[in-house]
Amino acid sequence: MSSTSDITVLTGRTASALVRFVTQPVDGDGDGGTPMIDADRDLSPEITTLADGIVRLLNGHGTRRCETRLTRAVAWLRIAAGATRFDPDAVHEALAEMRVPDDDIVDFCIPQVARQFGDAWCEDRCGFAEVTIATARLQALLIRLQPHGAEDPDGTGRTALLMTVPGDHHTLGARVAAAQLVRRGVAVRTLHAAHPDEAERALADGDYDMALISCASAHRLPAARTLCEAIHRSARPPRLVALGGLVLDFAGDLQHMTGVDIVTNDIRTALALCRARGAGQAQAAP
């Protein structure tokens, strides 16, 4: 648990970092449509409000302390994603100052903030446009954190085919999963709104250790099952077929309903099972 003095220092750093990325100039058109600020507009009230919001979230309205560094980082990123301006480089720098590793940003912070925005939209606490902009900003941060030439810690050269089901417009979760795989040395090919025949062709053209289906809605489970059936009947089926995404909030036997080998949002669990199956197949080979 951080001391009160640690929280005070952290608050000052994050507030100043927020001021930097809200006020600093942005070149070009704002990096893919990020809203720009009118040069004639007085931003000091907004900056003060946002900084005060960070202080309240970090210190609990003056009486309550946040429990973990990641909790503070999620609260900070939630405010940053809804700010007037958003610069991925400055946000990454601020999170680094908070001593949050890149893996934790990808594995925990971004998914948590995305879920908070989604919940707020479902509860009519924010509009669709706000959620859309925040999601695009989180995706920009995810791209900023994409490693170049990630190491393969096991030296196995694993490969994965990641697919979203047709009609599923929530793709941030799939992009997070892809980033998590790449950071663990897995070569990933992504098919958005994948149709069964497209999945079969992709598997026939490649040699994939695992196939992952991302599904955000229970209404899309029949499509996920059809996709899984296509994967199993392909000429070169992978060792493992996994289902993940927001659909895991649905109460039901998703493994039986879709025919996948495992239902999980934990990439490490899927990779561990894939490795185990690979080892078993190697031992069984003549």
Side-chain angles (χ1 to χ4, degrees), residues 95-118:
L95 290 169
E97 286 185 3
M98 298 169 69
R99 303 193 302 276
V100 181
D102 289 356
D103 284 345
D104 286 340
I105 299 173
V106 173
D107 293 347
F108 185 78
C109 296
I110 292 177
Q112 285 295 317
V113 173
R115 179 176 288 272
Q116 289 180 14
F117 272 104

Side-chain angles (χ1 to χ4, degrees), residues 15 27-28 30 33 60 87 89 124 142 147 158 168 185-186 189 191 255:
D27 295 332
D87 177 75
D89 292 334
D124 292 327
L142 193 63
R158 291 186 301 274
D168 199 342
V186 180
R189 179 182 177 184
L191 297 177
Q255 186 172 354

Side-chain angles (χ1 to χ4, degrees), residues 181-227:
L181 288 166
V182 170
R183 297 189 73 83
R184 288 165 174 80
V186 180
V188 182
R189 179 182 177 184
T190 303
L191 297 177
H192 291 293
H195 288 273
D197 56 346
E198 186 181 10
E200 287 192 68
R201 287 196 301 270
L203 289 166
D205 293 340
D207 185 15
Y208 295 99
D209 297 304
M210 58 194 305
L212 301 99
I213 302 172
S214 176
C215 183
S217 169
H219 298 293
R220 305 297 176 188
L221 283 173
R225 180 176 183 84
T226 301
L227 201 54

Side-chain angles (χ1 to χ4, degrees), residues 39-285:
D40 296 329
R41 183 175 166 198
D42 180 12
L43 292 177
S44 54
E46 275 189 43
I47 295 170
T48 301
T49 299
L50 290 168
D52 287 346
I54 292 174
V55 173
R56 287 195 300 273
L57 285 169
L58 297 186
N59 292 339
H61 300 279
T63 60
R64 192 176 36 145
R65 294 185 301 177
C66 293
E67 295 182 352
T68 66
R69 182 182 296 116
L70 286 181
T71 300
R72 295 192 294 270
V74 168
W76 187 89
L77 183 57
R78 169 67 174 83
I79 292 174
T84 306
R85 296 270 302 268
F86 186 91
D87 177 75
D89 292 334
V91 171
H92 183 211
E93 178 186 347
L95 290 169
E97 286 185 3
M98 298 169 69
R99 303 193 302 276
V100 181
D102 289 356
D103 284 345
D104 286 340
I105 299 173
V106 173
D107 293 347
F108 185 78
C109 296
I110 292 177
Q112 285 295 317
V113 173
R115 179 176 288 272
Q116 289 180 14
F117 272 104
D119 290 344
W121 179 48
C122 291
E123 297 167 6
D124 292 327
R125 291 186 285 111
C126 67
F128 179 76
E130 182 181 354
V131 173
T132 301
I133 292 172
T135 300
R137 289 171 167 180
L138 293 174
Q139 183 174 315
L141 178 60
L142 193 63
I143 294 172
R144 170 66 178 79
L145 296 171
Q146 190 77 5
H148 300 285
E151 297 180 359
D152 181 1
D154 301 319
T156 57
R158 291 186 301 274
T159 56
L161 180 64
L162 175 62
M163 294 161 283
T164 63
V165 298
D168 199 342
H169 303 295
H170 301 277
T171 61
L172 179 60
R175 294 180 187 276
V176 168
Q180 292 173 333
L181 288 166
V182 170
R183 297 189 73 83
R184 288 165 174 80
V186 180
V188 182
R189 179 182 177 184
T190 303
L191 297 177
H192 291 293
H195 288 273
D197 56 346
E198 186 181 10
E200 287 192 68
R201 287 196 301 270
L203 289 166
D205 293 340
D207 185 15
Y208 295 99
D209 297 304
M210 58 194 305
L212 301 99
I213 302 172
S214 176
C215 183
S217 169
H219 298 293
R220 305 297 176 188
L221 283 173
R225 180 176 183 84
T226 301
L227 201 54
C228 182
E229 292 171 347
I231 294 170
H232 283 307
R233 67 170 177 261
S234 64
R236 305 173 72 179
R239 297 174 189 163
L240 180 75
V241 183
L243 174 71
L246 292 175
V247 74
L248 267 64
D249 292 339
F250 175 73
D253 188 350
L254 297 178
Q255 186 172 354
H256 176 74
M257 294 171 68
T258 59
V260 298
D261 300 312
I262 184 175
V263 175
T264 182
N265 276 332
D266 189 339
I267 290 297
R268 293 167 295 185
T269 299
L271 288 173
L273 182 56
C274 186
R275 283 195 298 268
R277 288 194 169 190
Q281 290 174 0
Q283 292 177 355

Side-chain angles (χ1 to χ4, degrees), residues 4-28:
T4 302
S5 60
D6 289 338
I7 293 176
T8 301
V9 172
L10 181 60
T11 300
R13 286 178 176 175
T14 53
S16 63
L18 179 60
V19 170
R20 285 201 305 275
F21 86 76
V22 170
T23 57
Q24 68 183 7
V26 178
D27 295 332

